[in-house]
Amino acid sequence: MSQNVIFENVSKTFPGRRGAAANTVIAGFSGEVAVNEFLCLLGPSGCGKSTVLNMVAGFAKPTSGRISVGGRLVRGPGPDRGIVFQQYALFPWYSVARNVELGLEAKAVPRAERRETVERMLRAVGLWAHRDKYPKELSGGMKQRAAIARTLAADPEVILMDEPFAALDAQTREHLQQELLSIWEGSRKTVIFVTHSVQEAALLADRVTILGRNQGQVIASLPSPLSRPRNRMDDDVIAFEREIYAWLKQAEATGVDAEAA
Amino acid sequence: MSEMNMTDAAVRSGRQIWPQPRLRVPAKLVTLIVAIALWQIISLANDHLHFYNAVLVPSPWRIVAAGFALAKTGELFVHMGASLLRVAAGMAVAIPLGAGLALLVTSSRKAEVVLDPIIELLRPVPSLALLPVFIVWFGIGETTKMVFIAYSAFFIIFVTTVEAIRNIEPILFQAAGSLGLNRAQTYFHVTFKAALPQIMVGVRLALATSWFLIVGAEFLAANEGLGFLINFSRVWFQIDKMMVGAVVIGLLGLASNYLLLLLEARLFAWRERRA
C-alpha cells in the first residue's frame, strides 16, 4: 500500500574534517509528500536534494528533526521505501530475473508467486526476453529498466528515485520516462524523484519542489497544472517548463546571494 | 512497451564483451619448445667438444630419461603423491579458515579487535622461520607439513579476502537494505558473492606459495616428497634426478594454477572484464 512521507524540521549537518567548518546541507526542511503523489525535487547541484532522498531511504540520519513514512519514523533502510539509483546498483553476479526476485525472497514470498511477479515486472519493462542475462550484457537503459523492475517487484510504499535517467542518452531517457509514467499510471505510488532536468520535472511531476543553494530552503513548490497523459512537445508542458526554469534561476541566484552575504 | 525498440546494437555489443578466458598458449609454447631444443643442441655439441661438465648440467633428454626411470619404478609417483597430498591438506584447512575469519573480522567489530592485532603481528613473520618450531611441536610427521602449509596459506587467503570485502561498493549494500534483505541474506547475496572472485585469487596465490614452501619443508623433515627427492639426490650427486624433482614441482604448480583459472572463468562469467 502506498503511503505519505512527512518531513518535520529536518536538518543535516556533516561534521567538518580536520578543523574545517561543519557543513549544514539541509536546515529546517518541512513538508509532506501525499499518498500517490509524484514529487520532483529540483535544484542546483549541491542544494542537498540527494541528501533529502538518502535520509528518506535511511542511508543517512537527520542531524535533527524527523522523517516518517505512513506515520512510522524512518530508522534505517527498509523494503517499505524502494530506491532506484543513477548507477543502477544491480547485483552483477545474478541474472536479471534473479535480481528482480531477490526482494521478494527477502519478504519470504512463496516461490510460485515470486516467479509470477518477476515475469509480470519484467514484461512490464520489456526485459522478459533478457531475463537470463547478466547485468554486464545489458545496455544502460536496460540496466535501469531491470533496476526499476527490481524496486517495483518488492512492492514498496514509497519509491525514491535519485536522478535515475541522468546517465542515459537522450533517446533512452525519453523512452524510460514514458515507460515509468505508464507503469506509474497503471498502479499509482508515492514517488520522490530527484532530478536536475527541468524538462523531466515538468513531464513527470504532480508537484515540483525547487530547493535553493542555501541549506536546502524551499524556493518554490509548484503543483503541476498539467493533466495526464502529457506530451513533452505540448504548449502547456513547455509553459510549465518555463515557469519551473524561472524559479530554478531564482534558486541559483539565492545561492549567489547567500555566498555574497 | 515492446521488446522491439530495445537498443539492439547495445545488446549485440554486450554479447561481444564475453570474456575470453586468457588461457591462450600456443605462441608461448613455441618459445618454450625452441628454448628446450636449443639446450638439447648445446648439450649434444658439448658431448663432442666438452666445454662444460655434462654431469653438472644434464641435457633435457637426460632429465626426461631420469624422469621416466623414476616413473617406471613408481618412485616418482610416491614423491608426487606425498607433496600433492600435503599441499592439498594444508589448503583444505587454510581456505575455510582464511575466508571464514576474514568474513568474521569484516562483519564484527569485536572479532576485528580480538583477531586483527594477532593476525597482523604474525603475518610479517616468514612462515619458513617457524618451520623448525613446528617440527619441535609436531614432530617430523605429516602433521607438521600440513600445519606449515595451512599456516602459510592462511594469511594470503585471509588478507585478500578482507581486502575484497572492504572494496565492495557501498551502493550494493544500500540496494540490499532497501530490498529488505536481512543481515544473513545481505551477507550471502552481497558480501560473499562479491568477494568470491578475490577469494579465488587468494587461493591461487596461496597455492603457488604452497608449492614453493612444501619443497623447503621436505628438505628438512620428510622421507618422501619431491623436496625430499631433490635433497636426497643431491647427497648421491644425481643432478638429473634433482632436476626431475624441480621440473615436476613446476609442472604441478602450473597445472593447478591452470585448473583454478578454468574454474574461475566458469564460475565468474558475470564479471565485467575486457582482457
Side-chain angles (χ1 to χ4, degrees), chain A residues 92-94 126 129 133 136 139 179, chain B residues 1 6 10 19 189 269-271:
Chain A
W93 39 87
Y94 287 139
K133 289 188 176 160
K136 71 160 183 186
S139 67
E179 284 166 33
Chain B
M1 228 294 300
M6 205 62 50
H189 293 295
W270 53 265
R271 270 193 297 188

Side-chain angles (χ1 to χ4, degrees), chain A residues 59 77-79 81-83 85 87 89-94 98 102-103 105-106 124-130 133-134 136-137 139 142-143 145 150 154 172 175 179, chain B residues 1-3 5-7 10-11 14-15 17-19 168 171-182 185 188-191 193-194 267-273:
Chain A
F59 304 149
R81 287 146 292 136
I83 184 156
F85 300 93
Q87 312 93 311
L90 294 166
F91 302 115
W93 39 87
Y94 287 139
R98 191 86 182 90
L102 215 54
E105 206 176 292
V125 298
L127 282 181
W128 180 241
H130 304 282
K133 289 188 176 160
Y134 288 119
K136 71 160 183 186
E137 299 172 79
S139 67
M142 291 162 82
K143 280 182 192 160
R145 284 188 175 95
R150 179 176 70 174
T172 310
H175 280 223
E179 284 166 33
Chain B
M1 228 294 300
S2 79
E3 283 162 19
N5 62 12
M6 205 62 50
T7 42
V11 178
R15 275 242 175 91
I17 309 174
W18 271 118
I168 299 172
I171 199 173
L172 293 177
F173 291 111
Q174 295 185 337
S178 289
L179 287 172
L181 270 67
N182 62 29
Q185 288 166 331
F188 177 73
H189 293 295
V190 183
T191 314
K193 292 277 183 179
L267 233 45
F268 310 129
W270 53 265
R271 270 193 297 188
E272 217 141 346
R273 264 176 116 182

Side-chain angles (χ1 to χ4, degrees), chain B residues 87-157:
Chain B
V87 168
M91 291 295 288
V93 174
I95 294 169
L97 205 65
L101 284 185
L103 286 164
L104 193 66
V105 162
T106 49
S107 67
S108 146
R109 177 76 188 142
K110 275 181 203 152
E112 188 185 351
V113 167
V114 172
L115 292 171
D116 213 41
I118 298 171
I119 291 170
E120 285 308 309
L121 185 74
L122 291 175
R123 196 161 69 91
V125 180
S127 56
L128 266 172
L130 292 174
L131 179 58
V133 180
F134 290 154
I135 291 172
V136 172
W137 284 351
F138 305 110
I140 62 160
E142 289 308 304
T143 318
T144 300
K145 264 102 55 186
M146 192 196 71
V147 168
F148 174 62
I149 293 297
Y151 178 87
S152 313
F154 164 80
F155 290 102
I156 298 171
I157 293 164

